[in-house]
Amino acid sequence: MGTPHIVLVRGDITDQQADAIVNAANSSLLGGGGVDGAIHRRGGPEILEACRALRAAHLGKGLPTGQAVATPAGRLHADHVIHTVGPVFTREEDRSALLASCYRESLRVADGLGARTVAFPAVSAGVYGWPLDDAARIAIDTVRAADTSVAEARFVLFDEEAYAAFAAHLG
């Protein structure tokens, strides 16, 4: 156990080759927009079938915010997809702990799978409205503080603005 090496990549998370790819999912686990939709489309029906099985088994009300669960990766270049539900940003309530939990819980699930490389998106920084600079700070700080068997935590950032925000916090 230790701290993973953090790598930043500008690109499409569905093109990544890793032991596990993290999906910024919605609580239904049944696909959606953004990263979630892209992972489901590219990964194929095996991911949706596994998510439906999880909902039928023990996640009938969906996956709670800040938690994580794994499925097979279907046609992605990975063994597993780790689904985590990020919080929606609001100025009325500090939900930073829930966002940090997404990264901690994803690493915990990755450890249970024996994953050594994990590709993360910028959880909650898209349609969920989390300010990019703060999302990057929480993500980098949380992964840096993690005690995990994951050797490489790769942040896959879709555009130059996100890449720059994460690079600024990586130092």
Side-chain angles (χ1 to χ4, degrees), residues 107-134:
L107 289 169
R108 182 188 61 75
V109 169
D111 283 341
L113 298 169
R116 303 282 292 147
T117 56
V118 177
F120 286 97
V123 177
S124 289
V127 68
Y128 283 11
W130 207 281
L132 195 48
D133 184 63
D134 196 44

Side-chain angles (χ1 to χ4, degrees), residues 8 132-133 136-137 140 157 160-170:
L8 304 181
L132 195 48
D133 184 63
R137 178 189 60 79
I140 297 287
L157 305 153
E160 197 55 46
E161 182 185 8
Y163 185 92
F166 274 73
H169 285 284
L170 189 55

Side-chain angles (χ1 to χ4, degrees), residues 75-98:
R75 296 188 302 249
L76 295 171
H77 301 292
D79 296 323
H80 306 279
V81 171
I82 299 172
H83 306 267
T84 191
V85 179
V88 174
F89 180 78
T90 176
R91 296 200 184 285
E92 289 75 45
E93 178 185 354
D94 182 5
R95 297 179 177 168
S96 301
L98 284 170

Side-chain angles (χ1 to χ4, degrees), residues 1 7 14 44-45 47 61-64 66 68 81 87-88 92 113 122-123 128 131-132 136 145 150 152 164:
M1 300 285 271
V7 175
T14 66
I47 296 172
K61 294 182 180 178
L63 184 65
V81 171
V88 174
E92 289 75 45
L113 298 169
V123 177
Y128 283 11
L132 195 48
V150 172
E152 179 184 296

